[in-house]
Amino acid sequence: MADDEILRAKETMTRDMFGMLMQLTTQQPWLTRRSEELYDTLAVCDDEGQKNLIVDLISRFHFRSAQQYLEDRRSIASKISRDWKCLPTNTMLIALQDNGCADSSSAAVQQFKGPLAEYADWKTHNFISSLREVVDRTKDGSNIIIVDDFCGSGETISKKVLWLREKLQQAGKSASLFVAVGSSMEQSKEVICPLVKDFYSVHWLKKGICDFYSGQDSVNAVKLMESIEEELADRYGNKKIKDYAFGWRRSEALCYLEGENPPNNNFPIFWWRKVKPNLDRTALLPRV
């Protein structure tokens, strides 16, 4: 190759697509820090129809900055204190953690200390990081509030609530159970609400395709996403793409909390790290 020969990009971007991405970045400012990842995401798409769908989905992403999530925690603290009338003398906030590994809920519990301190004299012992510990601490008439930053299908929370109710019953204890979350998929209501006294979420989110499009538009969008997911590798790590089609339990989530591990309820095109045959890719959302 001659010294003055210039390498050309493998793909070109149409003027319309460039304008669309500029508008998208205006709508979602967090994308300015992930421009390469955005381009790599669109590179998975085979045609304009697929690209247009991905751009539309990203434009509707529920993004919460660190400052916005602090506002969400304050909303939850207000719900706990003013609406639920929960007092430090008979209330525990707990995480879902019970397997020894760190998760988002254990961090969320600690982050409620400041917002709740604005309402009453809450103490360190009101904030519990393990489900197993809360059973021993529960007294009859206690309020137990499970907190988290995101709820997808509701499967994890409902399983833990059932486990907790069973353990409390075995111990001969009674308590009022609540769930408070920053952002939740709407379909989680039918799973969790029958199990607890109240389920509060600051933000209720709809499915990205099935709750947004209708009729033939919905059918077409589903087919486009299926064809996009066909480009993703069948596995990475111990995960199988068939288990995460359209997001875990087909949640079709579009949610990103700044600095947090994105939920696997999101469409895998946004976080799956391998494309066929088994090549690494830079995902739009960095997920562990």
Side-chain angles (χ1 to χ4, degrees):
M1 181 178 68
D3 291 340
D4 59 351
E5 185 175 344
I6 300 175
L7 291 174
R8 293 184 178 271
K10 294 181 180 179
E11 298 184 18
T12 59
M13 184 183 300
T14 66
R15 183 183 299 273
D16 288 345
M17 180 57 67
F18 178 78
M20 191 180 298
L21 293 184
M22 289 294 291
Q23 182 179 2
L24 183 61
T25 303
T26 301
Q27 291 175 303
Q28 301 281 10
W30 58 274
L31 290 173
T32 58
R33 301 186 297 275
R34 306 197 64 76
S35 57
E36 290 186 14
E37 291 83 354
L38 174 60
Y39 186 82
D40 285 352
T41 299
L42 290 172
V44 177
C45 301
D46 289 330
D47 56 44
E48 291 301 307
Q50 293 180 356
K51 290 179 181 179
N52 289 336
L53 174 63
I54 293 302
V55 168
D56 180 53
L57 292 175
I58 295 175
S59 73
R60 292 186 278 113
F61 246 87
H62 175 72
F63 172 80
R64 302 299 285 168
S65 67
Q67 178 60 39
Q68 288 170 325
Y69 191 54
L70 173 58
E71 295 170 3
D72 293 345
R73 291 194 294 271
R74 286 174 172 159
S75 295
I76 293 174
S78 175
K79 186 73 174 182
I80 291 170
S81 299
R82 292 177 175 172
D83 296 345
W84 291 345
K85 308 297 183 184
C86 295
L87 302 172
T89 53
N90 65 348
T91 303
M92 290 176 287
L93 271 70
I94 66 172
L96 296 174
Q97 182 178 344
D98 64 355
N99 60 6
C101 297
D103 67 7
S104 61
S105 64
S106 57
V109 168
Q110 298 300 314
Q111 292 166 350
F112 275 102
K113 290 182 176 179
L116 279 170
E118 298 178 13
Y119 292 93
D121 190 21
W122 292 79
K123 305 293 185 183
T124 299
H125 64 257
N126 293 119
F127 305 87
I128 313 299
S129 61
S130 171
L131 278 171
R132 299 179 186 278
E133 185 179 350
V134 79
V135 176
D136 294 333
R137 294 198 185 191
T138 297
K139 299 177 182 179
D140 283 340
S142 292
N143 298 312
I144 300 175
I145 305 173
I146 296 173
V147 297
D148 209 342
D149 51 17
F150 176 80
C151 176
S153 66
E155 179 183 46
T156 299
I157 290 179
S158 61
K159 285 182 178 179
K160 298 302 174 69
V161 168
L162 288 170
W163 180 91
L164 183 57
R165 287 174 57 177
E166 179 183 1
K167 294 302 180 183
L168 289 172
Q169 185 176 15
Q170 291 173 356
K173 299 178 178 181
S174 62
S176 296
L177 302 182
F178 300 83
V179 173
V181 183
S183 302
S184 304
M185 301 300 296
E186 285 192 346
Q187 67 258 36
S188 64
K189 291 180 184 179
E190 60 188 60
V191 179
I192 297 174
C193 285
L195 304 178
V196 297
K197 187 172 182 178
D198 199 6
F199 175 22
Y200 174 68
S201 182
V202 183
H203 308 280
W204 292 104
L205 312 180
K206 295 182 179 296
K207 289 187 173 185
I209 289 178
C210 293
D211 288 341
F212 184 80
Y213 299 103
S214 61
Q216 191 60 43
D217 288 339
S218 178
V219 173
N220 293 341
V222 167
K223 289 181 179 179
L224 284 170
M225 182 55 71
E226 288 174 344
S227 62
I228 291 170
E229 291 186 357
E230 276 293 316
E231 301 298 320
L232 302 177
D234 293 336
R235 292 173 176 264
Y236 92 77
N238 60 354
K239 298 180 177 66
K240 300 177 182 178
I241 188 63
K242 66 179 183 179
D243 294 333
Y244 297 92
F246 286 63
W248 180 253
R249 299 299 188 202
R250 295 187 76 89
S251 297
E252 300 184 26
L254 300 168
C255 184
Y256 182 33
L257 307 179
E258 185 178 32
E260 300 293 332
N261 199 35
N264 59 18
N265 305 85
N266 283 313
F267 291 95
I269 181 61
F270 299 121
W271 59 272
W272 199 258
R273 299 208 306 256
K274 296 276 189 178
V275 293
K276 290 178 179 176
N278 189 34
L279 303 175
D280 291 332
R281 66 180 283 252
T282 306
L284 181 66
L285 305 180
R287 175 177 165 81
V288 174

